[in-house]
Amino acid sequence: AWIAAKAQAHPQQNWVAVERKFERVRKIWAKLKNQDLSNLFVICGEGHRVTQNYFPSASVQAVFINFPDPWPKNRHAKHRLVQVAFVREIERILQPH
């Protein structure tokens, strides 16, 4: 609901939702179609891989990470989204300033 509301409130901007779980992607896609949001795109995939493969350098104005799964135990660190390599990818795709 968050990204659909943002896309609706800011129709002059393009919004991209990246989600790993297909069921969530389906829900976003349904909102996109039902609300006729031509400025919202949804990608089913893992955030780090999507940024590496689909976003050119300095092509994104802002990145929002909503509800990352923290995987609190140290042995689960490899599953966390927010890691040094992903932060570097975000830095690469963000426009300066």
Side-chain angles (χ1 to χ4, degrees), residues 27-39:
K27 287 179 182 180
I28 296 168
W29 188 85
K31 287 181 190 310
L32 180 157
K33 288 297 179 189
N34 291 335
Q35 296 176 25
D36 195 29
L37 299 172
S38 62
N39 63 329

Side-chain angles (χ1 to χ4, degrees), residues 28-91:
I28 296 168
W29 188 85
K31 287 181 190 310
L32 180 157
K33 288 297 179 189
N34 291 335
Q35 296 176 25
D36 195 29
L37 299 172
S38 62
N39 63 329
L40 175 58
F41 306 90
V42 61
I43 299 172
C44 187
E46 192 273 321
H48 187 209
R49 293 197 200 303
V50 170
T51 55
Q52 282 180 317
N53 296 312
Y54 296 103
F55 292 97
S57 297
S59 65
V60 175
Q61 288 183 345
V63 173
F64 300 91
I65 301 173
N66 298 326
F67 307 110
D69 191 350
W71 291 88
K73 295 179 181 175
N74 286 337
R75 70 177 185 258
H76 295 144
K78 64 185 174 195
H79 299 292
R80 294 181 190 138
L81 172 62
V82 181
Q83 296 186 35
V84 173
F86 183 57
V87 172
R88 285 187 184 133
E89 270 302 302
I90 290 172
E91 180 183 30

